[in-house]
Amino acid sequence: MTAGIVLVHGYTGSPRGLDLLKRRLEESLAPVEATSVLLPGHGGDAAPAFAAGEYLGAVAAEAGRFQKAGRDVVLIGHSTGGVLALAAMAEHSITPKLLVLASVPNRIDGTYLERWRLHSAGKTDITFASMAHMVSLTNRIGSQARPGEYPVLIVHGERDELVPCREAFAWRSRFAGPVRTVIVPGAGHDPFTSGEGGFAFDVIVRAAADALHVPTDEEAETVRRLVAAEPSAARFLARSPGSAGHLARSPGARQPRADSSVLGAVATSEPVFANIEITTRCNLRCAFCARTSIPREERDMPEDRFGRLLDLLPHAWRITLVGLGEPLMHPGVDGFIHEGHSRGRRVALVTNALLLTEEMSRRLIAAGLDAVVFSLDAVVPGPAAIVRPGASIDTLIDNIKTFGTVSSNTRPVSKAVFSAVSTTTAPHLERLVETVARLGVDVLMLSDLNFAANLPHALWQNADERTRAVIHRAVRKAFSLRLPVLSVDGLEEFAPAARYRDSLLIPPSRLYHRSDHRRFCLSPWQTLPLDVDGASTLCDCQPGEGLGNVLELPFGEIWNGIRMRDHRRRMLARPGPRPCAVCPRY
């Protein structure tokens, strides 16, 4: 049987105000049935008396019609309609698969009087008694805790002229289940009829599709394997059960790893990995970093923006704080980690470790950090000064050791060293391996240089026989020291600890190999990079190729929009895009 969606308009509204949303839901989720409740007394021009009992009965009747037939229900309430939906749920034992509150007041006080006067100008006057009954119901419902585990989506216009935007966040603490708050850019009190309606439609349709999705047997088995291999996935799915389908459909979760035959121009799941830049500031100017060729104004991401990004990426189980800045330069980095961890996400960060003092290590681990990647390209002073001028090798090595000690005494954190090997550092790779083997990290990941500008220094096409021999010896030594050495093939793995064998750098020549067609990269089908402003790019390897800001554009237009679909098609072609052809991850 098809599910049902019940839309409830506000006290001074009508079903007509929700017609566009209703139509979009029916078109996108067919054969789902959507119905708009006409609150009693709202069919004519006269101002209806606020009849709470009759309103709740009308909402309950529509929801009950679906529930009695054994059909799942999604409840969507706009303005006072959200209050009525909540009241009907409490009084008539309605448990929705999803509750959407759009522009709903959490508490009405005296500051509303002038806003209400301006909002209702030209409309039929509402009696004082009706106003009092509406305020009483709103404040009673807004103060109640909701024990149910159903997901809640709160949608609110950025410029709501009646209900302040802060009301959207006041609702979060009222619910026991997963809550997302999405602010619609530029929208007022009615986000469904203005020019910003596409953003609101996109968010609600995606949320409803997730809530009503019935996992296939294959998806259930994929999730079972994933959870068995990766405990953090179980923690995430306990808080976000609607993400199971997205994790299961992501190519990185499949066994064996998805080949091109199961990939297409349209991604079948939303991003399950997100690489988020929280600051553009950095304390180094590394020779081969994209930051040296892409000028950036120095600024930090506000923590509330980070929360908004997570709400827009509900299925991004793995969050990595990384970008063209050093995450530890952000004074509130531990707050970002705590925010992600509190939502069940697996939070990692990539750092040059120069600021990783003992105090900082304790802050990060206490905040819930799950994994850390240390960037270390050379330990011999001469080459290190060339590729990372200004970096104190002794300091960062001491800091990595200190972090390991703090972690072992408090809470285990996955630790890895990432090294971008170049013609400058390759001759000294054995020294790097010997040093990293003593740091107590779990793995060493080696990569050739990326970006066309770095090709004169990349191993690809520049490695002579002597360099190849050095790399071979260094990798053999690492294995003899029981230090796993991985290729960049494993960057898109879901449970890397359980799949190390698939990504071991065997043979070592994989380090400087390139392909004219896609072999390993899954990024455009499951990973979204976001900069400090919320702007997305095609991938981390093309930071100059912007797709649009997820805080400003409907997500569907970004993730499965024209540019991304075209990029995926080109990635699957032979030969692939030029930037991909020079990428060691491709």
Side-chain angles (χ1 to χ4, degrees), residues 341-362:
H341 181 80
S342 68
R343 298 180 185 223
R345 314 295 178 101
R346 182 182 185 273
V347 185
L349 66 79
V350 179
T351 176
N352 60 37
L354 289 173
L355 300 177
L356 195 63
T357 62
E358 180 175 350
E359 179 196 0
M360 176 66 79
S361 297
R362 294 188 184 282

Side-chain angles (χ1 to χ4, degrees), residues 37-94:
V37 176
L38 174 61
L39 296 179
H42 282 71
D45 296 328
F50 190 84
E54 295 180 23
Y55 295 165
L56 302 189
V59 175
E62 286 298 327
R65 178 169 65 87
F66 292 118
Q67 290 193 328
K68 288 175 182 177
R71 300 158 72 179
D72 291 330
V73 178
V74 171
L75 268 178
I76 302 175
H78 175 240
S79 194
T80 319
V83 175
L84 298 175
L86 284 166
M89 287 167 54
E91 296 190 16
H92 296 273
S93 300
I94 301 169

Side-chain angles (χ1 to χ4, degrees), residues 291-310:
R291 192 173 187 273
T292 62
S293 58
I294 301 178
R296 303 292 301 280
E297 177 188 346
E298 292 194 350
R299 59 194 184 282
D300 297 332
M301 177 186 288
E303 191 171 332
D304 63 338
R305 182 181 298 160
F306 182 72
R308 289 178 61 187
L309 293 175
L310 296 185

Side-chain angles (χ1 to χ4, degrees), residues 160-504:
D160 192 321
E161 68 280 5
L162 178 61
V163 182
C165 202
R166 63 176 180 272
E167 296 281 285
F169 298 96
W171 281 111
R172 294 186 73 100
S173 62
R174 304 293 188 234
F175 298 97
V179 181
R180 295 169 55 206
T181 303
V182 174
I183 305 302
V184 183
H189 185 62
D190 185 353
F192 306 124
T193 57
S194 61
E196 293 76 25
F199 191 101
F201 294 160
D202 177 87
V203 170
I204 294 174
V205 168
R206 288 165 46 217
D210 291 336
L212 298 175
H213 177 70
V214 178
T216 65
D217 291 342
E218 181 181 1
E219 289 176 350
E221 176 59 22
T222 300
V223 170
R224 187 196 65 76
R225 289 198 308 264
L226 174 61
V227 168
E230 181 55 80
S232 67
R235 180 168 64 92
F236 172 60
L237 290 174
R239 292 189 57 86
S240 182
S243 297
H246 291 273
L247 289 180
R249 294 191 299 275
S250 294
R254 301 170 187 170
Q255 286 281 21
R257 260 192 284 180
D259 58 33
S260 296
S261 65
V262 297
L263 301 175
V266 176
T268 57
S269 66
E270 293 187 17
V272 293
F273 299 158
N275 298 333
I276 303 179
E277 175 188 76
I278 63 171
T279 182
T280 62
R281 297 186 292 137
C282 190
N283 49 355
L284 291 178
R285 194 170 179 81
C286 301
F288 304 124
C289 177
R291 192 173 187 273
T292 62
S293 58
I294 301 178
R296 303 292 301 280
E297 177 188 346
E298 292 194 350
R299 59 194 184 282
D300 297 332
M301 177 186 288
E303 191 171 332
D304 63 338
R305 182 181 298 160
F306 182 72
R308 289 178 61 187
L309 293 175
L310 296 185
D311 280 332
L312 288 167
L313 298 171
H315 313 300
W317 151 53
R318 190 169 82 185
I319 303 295
T320 303
L321 306 185
V322 63
L324 299 186
E326 164 57 48
L328 300 190
M329 293 284 286
H330 197 301
V333 59
D334 51 329
F336 287 81
I337 294 170
H338 175 74
E339 180 68 18
H341 181 80
S342 68
R343 298 180 185 223
R345 314 295 178 101
R346 182 182 185 273
V347 185
L349 66 79
V350 179
T351 176
N352 60 37
L354 289 173
L355 300 177
L356 195 63
T357 62
E358 180 175 350
E359 179 196 0
M360 176 66 79
S361 297
R362 294 188 184 282
R363 284 172 53 193
L364 302 181
I365 294 171
L369 185 67
D370 293 294
V372 60
V373 177
F374 306 111
S375 296
L376 179 59
D377 296 337
V379 294
V380 176
I386 294 173
V387 297
R388 297 205 168 196
S392 169
I393 301 302
D394 290 340
T395 297
L396 69 87
I397 289 175
D398 287 345
N399 287 349
I400 293 173
K401 290 179 179 178
T402 298
F403 184 91
T405 300
V406 174
S407 174
S408 63
N409 292 334
T410 53
R411 182 175 58 81
V413 175
S414 175
K415 302 178 291 297
V417 167
F418 180 91
S419 180
V421 187
S422 64
T423 54
T424 302
T425 61
H428 311 280
L429 191 56
E430 284 188 82
R431 287 281 301 277
L432 176 73
V433 163
E434 293 167 349
T435 300
V436 173
R438 295 192 297 268
L439 293 180
V441 299
D442 302 302
V443 297
L444 168 64
M445 181 173 285
L446 299 180
S447 173
D448 197 359
L449 293 182
N450 201 349
F451 309 123
N454 292 333
L455 287 182
H457 307 279
L459 300 180
W460 181 49
Q461 299 181 339
N462 294 306
D464 55 22
E465 288 300 322
R466 181 178 181 182
T467 300
R468 295 189 185 102
V470 169
I471 292 170
H472 192 273
R473 288 197 306 270
V475 173
R476 287 185 60 185
K477 173 166 283 189
F479 289 138
S480 72
L481 296 173
R482 297 189 177 183
L483 173 66
V485 181
L486 306 185
S487 71
V488 287
D489 304 352
L491 282 174
E492 295 285 332
E493 286 286 10
F494 269 54
R499 300 182 184 177
Y500 278 160
R501 190 175 299 275
D502 296 336
S503 301
L504 290 174

